[in-house]
Amino acid sequence: MNRKQLEQLNQKCLYEVYDDEQETNDFRVGYIRVIFDSFIILEKYHTRVGFDGFALVANEAIFKVQQDTQYLKPYQNLNRPQEQIPELSEEGDTLLNFLEWTKKNNKLVEIMTVWDELIIGTIETIEANLVMINTLAPEEFASDGKCFIECDNIVDICIDTARLKFITA
């Protein structure tokens, strides 16, 4: 979807956001909090944990959005989060701005790559489209070295998720 299409949606509504054409039955539940030219920030929810963080999702990946479905009914009365939504500039590259914000705020992140690989860690540096991440092993949550990845290979980034809160607890 493009920015104009997304801006027509009511940001006070809860949505099913579909962004994986390989898994057309999978979707994220949440509120579209901010819309940029190439990305949205989605306030995510999960049935078992309630608020499940913020996700930076590429607009072009979103192929369907639904509201007022039977599936969404149990989510209607969930408490809204106390966490700070990332405040990003409209100027420059939104993905880089988001990465810089997570680095500045020392946020643990979940990064999904174009290869469907999940990387968990903190951003150490961002230089010339290359991101260096201090990674954590997904099972043990122990330090697992450094990962270098080009920004172009990042599909989405999540912060403040239930998994990340569990790791930092």
Side-chain angles (χ1 to χ4, degrees):
M1 295 185 122
N2 64 41
R3 182 177 183 157
K4 285 188 192 258
Q5 292 167 325
L6 290 165
E7 285 175 339
Q8 292 177 16
L9 300 174
N10 182 344
Q11 290 183 336
K12 292 187 169 118
C13 285
L14 191 62
Y15 292 105
E16 294 174 4
V17 177
Y18 295 77
D19 66 335
D20 186 349
E21 291 186 9
Q22 306 303 316
E23 300 290 335
T24 57
N25 291 327
D26 288 350
F27 55 88
R28 305 175 202 227
V29 171
Y31 295 92
I32 298 171
R33 294 291 303 269
V34 186
I35 302 168
F36 297 99
D37 286 339
S38 301
F39 292 91
I40 63 167
I41 295 180
L42 184 69
E43 179 184 304
K44 298 187 318 162
Y45 288 84
H46 190 280
T47 49
R48 285 179 290 201
V49 296
F51 173 69
D52 195 28
F54 296 105
L56 185 73
V57 181
N59 297 352
E60 67 183 19
I62 300 170
F63 64 93
K64 180 169 76 169
V65 177
Q66 293 188 172
Q67 75 179 59
D68 299 328
T69 65
Q70 291 298 314
Y71 185 86
L72 292 174
K73 289 201 184 314
Y75 292 91
Q76 295 297 332
N77 298 317
L78 292 176
N79 292 329
R80 299 295 294 268
Q82 302 301 314
E83 284 79 357
Q84 175 189 2
I85 186 168
E87 295 177 23
L88 306 178
S89 167
E90 285 278 345
E91 304 298 315
D93 185 298
T94 306
L95 178 65
L96 289 175
N97 290 344
F98 194 88
L99 289 167
E100 285 288 354
W101 185 89
T102 63
K103 177 184 168 200
K104 177 181 160 201
N105 290 280
N106 200 32
K107 289 280 192 179
L108 196 56
V109 297
E110 295 176 350
I111 294 177
M112 185 57 69
T113 69
V114 294
W115 309 285
D116 234 10
E117 177 187 8
L118 177 66
I119 301 169
I120 298 174
T122 55
I123 307 301
E124 184 170 313
T125 61
I126 306 162
E127 293 180 25
N129 202 36
L130 188 69
V131 181
M132 183 169 71
I133 306 161
N134 294 317
T135 59
L136 295 177
E139 289 82 28
E140 305 86 38
F141 309 128
S143 179
D144 195 27
K146 297 188 184 307
C147 174
F148 300 84
I149 186 168
E150 292 181 15
C151 291
D152 298 344
N153 294 321
I154 296 174
V155 174
D156 67 47
I157 307 169
C158 296
I159 58 170
D160 298 327
T161 65
R163 175 187 2 229
L164 296 176
K165 287 179 184 174
F166 177 78
I167 292 171
T168 57

